[in-house]
Amino acid sequence: MPAPDLQLPEHAAIVLDQMERHATVRRFTAAPLPSGLLERLVQAASKAATSSWIQGYVALRVTAAEERRELAELAGGQAQVQEAPEFLVLCADSRRHRLAARSAGTEHATNLEAFLQCALDAALFAQNLALGAEACGLGTCMIGGLRNELPRVVELLELPEGVWPLFGLCLGEPAEAPLRRPRLSAAALLVEGRYPNDDEVRARMQEHDEDAERWYAATGRPGRTWSGGVVRTFGSLRREHLRATYEGLGARLV
């Protein structure tokens, strides 16, 4: 929490309060977005920072009901992919760069750095888009499960070389008010000069585990912790097909 005597301009406090209120929404009403709002959000989100001005991203709006149903299944049975008023597939996009090179009669050099430039651009754009949507009263849900069966996603959406799907984004009027998950403290995330020693890191993790345990208990899952979830997440390798899939779309991850 900020110091009690910290004085912020009103507009800054509004933005920061909006950021603090974020919670993932997984249940949406059927109400469509107001006409023109999605386009306005995308235009605003496009002002995110972009590496060397490459603007290496695209948001693919999926509207066909059968495609939404199949994507929900591919993402691990996440019903919100099918039910949210809007579902976007956020892609790192080097297709434009390749076409520019082709028109100029030059080669398009690509490597891991080029992939990361586009992927990071896409993530920054998506976060701007989600923040703008939430400021308009919408709920949002990022869908990393889109990478579960990525070759089938690529085939379904007929993605060309140089377009790399990363995750999905559900948007719509929320039909729930989820309890916000706690986050690591600013003291854990902002470190001075050098990375802290392991004892200091563990102390901050313990503090966060205590917050997380209270959140789990409040949501009907007592006894769980953040660290326990991390151990489960990284207990085995996942989605080992990703490199082959992205390289099949023209990425070079070396």
Side-chain angles (χ1 to χ4, degrees):
M1 295 294 291
D5 59 348
L6 177 63
Q7 298 297 315
L8 295 171
E10 183 179 1
H11 66 277
I14 290 171
V15 172
L16 295 178
D17 287 346
Q18 181 63 58
M19 293 166 68
E20 291 274 8
R21 288 197 298 272
H22 167 74
T24 296
V25 170
R26 293 180 174 83
R27 294 177 57 233
F28 298 87
T29 74
L33 270 61
S35 178
L37 177 57
L38 182 58
E39 291 78 6
R40 180 71 178 86
L41 290 170
V42 168
Q43 191 65 56
S46 72
K47 303 309 186 289
T50 170
S51 177
S52 300
W53 203 21
I54 64 170
Q55 303 175 82
Y57 50 81
V58 67
L60 180 59
R61 183 187 186 197
V62 183
T63 57
E66 181 56 28
E67 290 182 355
R68 293 273 294 271
R69 184 203 63 75
E70 187 165 350
L71 288 171
E73 179 184 326
L74 294 175
Q78 298 193 61
Q80 65 269 34
V81 172
Q82 184 175 2
E83 296 169 358
E86 295 287 348
F87 181 67
L88 308 177
V89 176
L90 277 299
C91 303
D93 184 4
S94 71
R95 185 72 181 174
R96 300 184 190 99
H97 313 150
R98 292 160 192 258
L99 293 177
R102 189 177 302 168
S103 295
T106 64
E107 293 295 319
H108 174 74
T110 189
N111 61 1
L112 177 59
E113 169 62 12
F115 179 86
L116 287 176
Q117 282 181 284
C118 293
L120 293 171
D121 264 21
L124 293 169
F125 166 75
Q127 181 57 36
N128 254 17
L129 182 57
L131 180 60
E134 290 171 3
C136 293
L138 301 178
T140 66
C141 182
M142 302 283 189
I143 305 292
L146 200 72
R147 300 188 301 278
N148 288 349
E149 303 284 350
L150 200 61
R152 291 174 63 187
V153 172
V154 170
E155 181 180 11
L156 176 67
L157 299 179
E158 301 178 357
L159 295 173
E161 181 184 66
V163 179
W164 306 310
L166 300 173
F167 52 91
L169 175 60
C170 299
L171 297 167
E173 180 181 287
E176 62 176 356
L179 185 65
R180 291 191 296 274
R181 295 190 193 193
R183 295 294 197 264
L184 287 159
S185 67
L189 300 174
L190 179 63
V191 299
E192 186 73 30
R194 297 290 186 274
Y195 196 82
N197 64 51
D198 286 352
D199 287 341
E200 293 173 307
V201 174
R202 288 191 182 98
R204 298 302 185 188
M205 289 170 58
Q206 177 61 35
E207 293 171 359
H208 188 49
D209 276 342
E210 291 168 3
D211 290 338
E213 191 168 9
R214 286 189 288 271
W215 180 84
Y216 274 120
T219 57
R221 293 167 289 177
R224 293 192 179 192
T225 63
W226 174 81
S227 294
V230 168
V231 170
R232 289 190 296 273
T233 296
F234 295 107
S236 60
L237 295 176
R238 305 167 65 202
R239 301 168 181 160
E240 293 187 79
H241 61 279
L242 294 182
R243 178 172 178 172
T245 303
Y246 287 135
E247 288 183 338
L249 288 169
R252 189 165 182 263
L253 302 180
V254 293

